[in-house]
């Protein structure tokens, strides 16, 4: 079993590549020919509880970086450590265990089930660990929905996009994760709704001391975070 552990991030000398499909030839003796380095032996360190925005041009690899941090992708080389947990050495089963215990994910698309109520959608993560949610988790789900301003019995199909994203935020925080990763969570929302959702996400993560990393193109959203990091040319640098 993999325990939740600290949410301190230490990413060291990470190399992440993707193949250039249009490359016609690969030079002998050039091991990286035909590839683009999304991360070129990059390092990144964050203290537990940090709240940071990750920015960069489209195609620079922000989503791939979040996938690395979630243990969904593996780098070609390097180390990715959350506290004492080294993600690159975990088995698939151990990674699943770590994600269930430690990770909350928020996406641009909400991935909600329209035939379920808001409460049932928030409780979905419990289905991976039990047939029925405990009373404590049901109470927490109701509390989170109250905090984000959505009724527990609300029909997902009639909620606005902003309300649906609030439900998705509540779902991501249900298991009190030590790490929350959000990939363009406000990109499909209008400016006022985006600010409201971003504020709620930051406040809830701060209360439970989760480390929060949000990939965003929105300068206004990014400016509210403790720090902004730019991803470009294979490196991650603080602005």
């Amino acid at each position: 079993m993999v325990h939740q552990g600290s949410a301190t991030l230490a990413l060291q000398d990470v190399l992440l590549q993707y193949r250039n499909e249009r490359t016609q030839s690969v030079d002998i003796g050039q091991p990286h020919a035909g590839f683009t380095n999304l991360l070129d032996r990059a390092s990144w360190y964050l203290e537990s509880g940090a709240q940071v925005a990750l920015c960069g041009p489209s195609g620079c690899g922000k989503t791939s970086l979040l996938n690395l941090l979630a243990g969904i992708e593996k780098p070609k080389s390097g180390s990715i450590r959350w506290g004492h947990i080294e993600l690159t050495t975990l088995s698939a089963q151990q990674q699943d265990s770590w994600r269930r215990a430690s990770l909350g994910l928020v996406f641009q698309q909400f991935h909600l089930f329209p035939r379920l109520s808001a409460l049932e959608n928030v409780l979905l993560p419990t289905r991976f660990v039990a047939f029925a949610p405990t009373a404590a988790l049901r109470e927490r789900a109701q509390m989170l929905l109250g905090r984000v301003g959505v009724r527990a019995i609300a029909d997902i199909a009639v909620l606005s996009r902003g309300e649906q994203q609030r439900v998705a935020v509540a779902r991501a925080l249900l298991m009190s994760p030590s790490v929350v990763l959000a990939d363009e969570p406000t990109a499909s929302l209008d400016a006022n709704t985006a600010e409201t959702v971003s504020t709620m996400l930051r406040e809830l993560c701060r209360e439970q001391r989760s480390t929060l990393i949000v990939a965003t193109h929105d300068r206004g959203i990014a400016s509210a975070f403790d720090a902004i990091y730019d991803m470009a040319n294979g490196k991650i640098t603080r602005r």
Side-chain angles (χ1 to χ4, degrees):
M1 178 179 179
V2 177
H3 298 287
Q4 183 167 323
S6 165
T8 300
L9 171 65
L11 182 145
Q12 188 169 3
D13 296 329
V14 168
L15 177 63
L16 176 65
Q17 300 176 319
Y18 75 89
R19 183 183 295 277
N20 298 323
E21 297 297 336
R22 296 183 180 179
T23 299
Q24 298 297 314
S25 64
V26 176
D27 295 334
I28 300 300
Q30 298 296 322
H32 302 316
F35 292 87
T36 293
N37 292 338
L38 294 178
L39 291 172
D40 190 1
R41 295 177 176 80
S43 296
W44 194 23
Y45 304 93
L46 294 176
E47 293 295 329
S48 182
Q51 296 194 353
V52 304
L54 179 65
C55 300
S58 296
C60 72
K62 296 189 298 295
T63 296
S64 293
L65 173 57
L66 294 184
N67 286 341
L68 284 179
L69 299 179
I72 296 171
E73 292 187 37
K74 279 194 173 184
K76 186 175 181 64
S77 62
S79 169
I80 303 170
R81 184 178 292 272
W82 285 107
H84 65 280
I85 303 297
E86 172 57 62
L87 289 187
T88 62
T89 62
L90 297 182
S91 67
Q93 183 177 3
Q94 288 173 324
Q95 288 177 347
D96 288 341
S97 176
W98 175 80
R99 279 190 288 267
R100 284 195 299 268
S102 306
L103 183 64
L105 294 170
V106 184
F107 305 96
Q108 180 177 341
Q109 301 302 321
F110 317 130
H111 301 295
L112 301 176
F113 288 81
R115 295 185 180 181
L116 300 180
S117 69
L119 178 61
E120 289 168 329
N121 268 280
V122 172
L123 288 170
L124 276 176
T126 66
R127 300 298 182 182
F128 296 106
V129 294
F131 290 108
T134 64
L137 280 174
R138 182 174 290 273
E139 182 178 348
R140 176 169 172 78
Q142 292 172 330
M143 179 277 292
L144 287 168
L145 284 170
R147 290 292 307 275
V148 301
V150 177
R151 292 191 308 152
I153 62 172
D155 182 350
I156 289 296
V158 301
L159 294 179
S160 68
R161 293 187 66 79
E163 289 170 327
Q164 289 185 40
Q165 190 61 303
R166 294 183 196 185
V167 173
V169 167
R171 181 182 60 193
L173 298 175
L174 175 66
M175 307 300 285
S176 301
S178 57
V179 178
V180 177
L181 305 177
D183 191 4
E184 299 285 356
T186 62
S188 63
L189 308 178
D190 64 76
N192 289 335
T193 303
E195 183 177 355
T196 298
V197 169
S198 177
T199 298
M200 287 179 174
L201 179 59
R202 295 196 317 275
E203 288 179 351
L204 289 168
C205 285
R206 196 176 302 280
E207 288 175 11
Q208 65 182 37
R209 300 180 181 178
S210 300
T211 300
L212 172 63
I213 302 174
V214 175
T216 181
H217 283 98
D218 190 318
R219 294 183 179 181
I221 296 298
S223 66
F225 283 77
D226 299 339
I228 301 174
Y229 287 85
D230 291 305
M231 187 173 175
N233 301 317
K235 302 297 182 184
I236 306 166
T237 56
R238 183 164 181 167
R239 188 178 299 178

